[in-house]
Amino acid sequence: MRAMNHRTGGPPLRQQAYEAFKERLLSRDIRPGQFLSQRELVAITGLPLGAIRELIPRLEADGLIKTAPQRGMQIAHVDLDLIRNAFQLRLILEREATVAFCRNASDDLIRELRDQHVAVQREAENGVTPELLQRAQHIDWAFHDTMIDALGNSLIASTYRVNSIKIRLIRQEDTRMLPELVTSVMREHMRILDALVARDERASLEAIEAHIDIARRRALGV
């Protein structure tokens, strides 16, 4: 009960602290490899020290920080091991999710996802505006999250979300949606969606594997 935010009726402060930390991390206000103190995290998140102290064990368990004696906390450092491990885990989880989605997702949901991608592709033909770029990024992330969530396994969903944070840290300028990537990423997604429409498990797997491999290669700069 101590952790609940009784004043607003909102989520516990430790959850607010986690979301604030994630937001600052993904907006690059906090950088990979950076050292921070608890007091600095208080200043960055705008949340009380007690919430930060409750947050730290979760961040350590998620592999987003590690405690360095005499230096404070270090944000996860991006290296080749992180890239390989994060993309390998992503592939394992999304292969399972894609097969299940191909078998079980409703026709209406698959068509809705496909229609969203078609709309972005059509708009992109006239140039990628900041608004379209933001929407394309949201559709990109939401598409993968939707397939993962359809498994109905909260442990997998939680693991996937944490891994997604690490993926987005990896060479952020290459893994986030850029104007020149909108068309190619939407095209890669359309291969997956067309296979899902046809209920073709093999083609769906091949398409998701190719999509993740392209993202991994981009992150590695190859």
Side-chain angles (χ1 to χ4, degrees), residues 190-218:
M190 285 297 293
R191 281 190 59 207
I192 303 167
L193 285 160
D194 286 342
L196 291 172
V197 168
R199 303 292 179 174
D200 188 330
E201 289 183 24
R202 181 176 178 178
S204 299
L205 274 176
E206 290 175 350
I208 195 69
E209 289 169 354
H211 176 54
I212 293 173
D213 185 60
I214 290 170
R216 181 186 64 84
R217 289 175 176 273
R218 190 164 62 244

Side-chain angles (χ1 to χ4, degrees), residues 100-112:
F101 202 76
C102 189
R103 293 175 182 174
N104 303 321
S106 69
D107 291 339
D108 287 344
L109 176 56
I110 295 173
R111 279 196 296 268
E112 179 184 351

Side-chain angles (χ1 to χ4, degrees), residues 1 11 22 26 50 85-86 104 107 109 125 127 134 141 143 152 193 202 209:
M1 297 298 291
K22 183 176 72 173
L26 296 179
N85 293 343
N104 303 321
D107 291 339
L109 176 56
E125 292 175 358
Q134 183 177 19
W141 292 340
F143 171 58
L193 285 160
R202 181 176 178 178
E209 289 169 354

Side-chain angles (χ1 to χ4, degrees), residues 76-145:
H77 181 70
V78 174
D79 55 20
L80 287 177
D81 282 343
L82 178 62
I83 295 172
R84 293 192 186 102
N85 293 343
F87 276 96
Q88 183 180 40
L89 178 57
R90 180 184 176 187
L91 180 61
I92 291 169
L93 297 180
E94 292 205 41
R95 289 183 87 258
E96 179 74 14
T98 299
V99 170
F101 202 76
C102 189
R103 293 175 182 174
N104 303 321
S106 69
D107 291 339
D108 287 344
L109 176 56
I110 295 173
R111 279 196 296 268
E112 179 184 351
L113 292 170
R114 191 180 186 281
D115 289 346
Q116 291 173 357
H117 285 72
V118 169
V120 169
Q121 284 184 309
R122 288 175 177 168
E123 288 187 47
E125 292 175 358
N126 299 317
V128 178
T129 64
E131 185 277 332
L132 179 59
L133 181 63
Q134 183 177 19
R135 183 149 51 91
Q137 180 69 89
H138 173 76
I139 289 172
D140 177 20
W141 292 340
F143 171 58
H144 294 281
D145 288 347

Side-chain angles (χ1 to χ4, degrees), residues 33-38 40 66-74:
Q34 180 179 349
F35 285 91
L36 288 170
S37 68
Q38 292 184 16
E40 286 172 320
K66 63 180 180 180
T67 301
Q70 310 302 321
R71 301 195 67 183
M73 297 165 291
Q74 185 178 27

